[in-house]
Structure formats: structure tokens, C-alpha cells
Amino acid sequence: MPSLQTALPPELADNVLRLYRECLRRAKYIGHRQHNTQLLVNLVRQQFRRNMHETDPEKIQKLKDDAARGLINHILYESEKMTGRKFSKGS
């Protein structure tokens, strides 16, 4: 199965630190809109810290894919809200 990270710019997908920073930016953006910024930022930090010593390349790739999936889902959600058009295949 191809990596979900191909949907992200290569400079973001190839660099865990940049991926982390983008996840934090999205958490702050969502948190500001829903008035729970600190909670969401702490959740992102916990997820990255919990796995920071992972050495298995397959597991690292899966974790990066999961983070990329979250970013892509949020981007699609915001795009759907702005345009009123559904991009996902669901309901």
C-alpha cells in the first residue's frame, strides 16, 4: 500500500520535525475555533513524545502516515466547509 504522505509536500512528509510542527499548527487552529487549544496541543505533543524513541522503520512510517492522514482529513474538512462541496466518498 502506498504511503499517504505522497499527498503532502515532500519537505513536510520526509521530515518528522516539520510534520510535528504542522500538526501543532493544526491543533492550535482547531483549538482556537473550539476553545480547547491547550488540550489539543497537549494531545499532539503526547503522541509524538510517546513514540520519539521508536526505531523500527515500518512502525515509524505507519506513525508518519497516521499523522499525515490526520492533516489531510482536516484540510479536506475545512475545504468542504468553505466550498460547500463534498470531497470524501462517505455520506
Side-chain angles (χ1 to χ4, degrees), residues 20-80:
Y20 172 70
R21 287 178 180 157
E22 185 59 29
C23 287
L24 283 177
R25 280 188 201 102
R26 291 287 167 172
K28 288 176 184 176
Y29 173 78
I30 296 167
H32 177 72
R33 295 181 68 157
Q34 297 179 354
H35 309 293
N36 60 354
T37 304
Q38 202 56 47
L39 173 68
L40 293 176
V41 167
N42 287 340
L43 285 172
V44 169
R45 286 183 176 144
Q46 280 179 347
Q47 288 296 316
F48 276 84
R49 283 185 182 145
R50 182 176 11 176
N51 298 298
M52 70 188 291
H53 298 293
E54 184 61 55
T55 57
D56 178 18
E58 288 181 20
K59 176 112 189 234
I60 292 170
Q61 187 62 45
K62 183 189 177 315
L63 292 166
K64 288 169 62 177
D65 282 349
D66 290 346
R69 184 178 298 111
L71 290 174
I72 292 165
N73 286 342
H74 183 257
I75 291 167
L76 286 174
Y77 173 77
E78 287 296 321
S79 296
E80 288 174 355

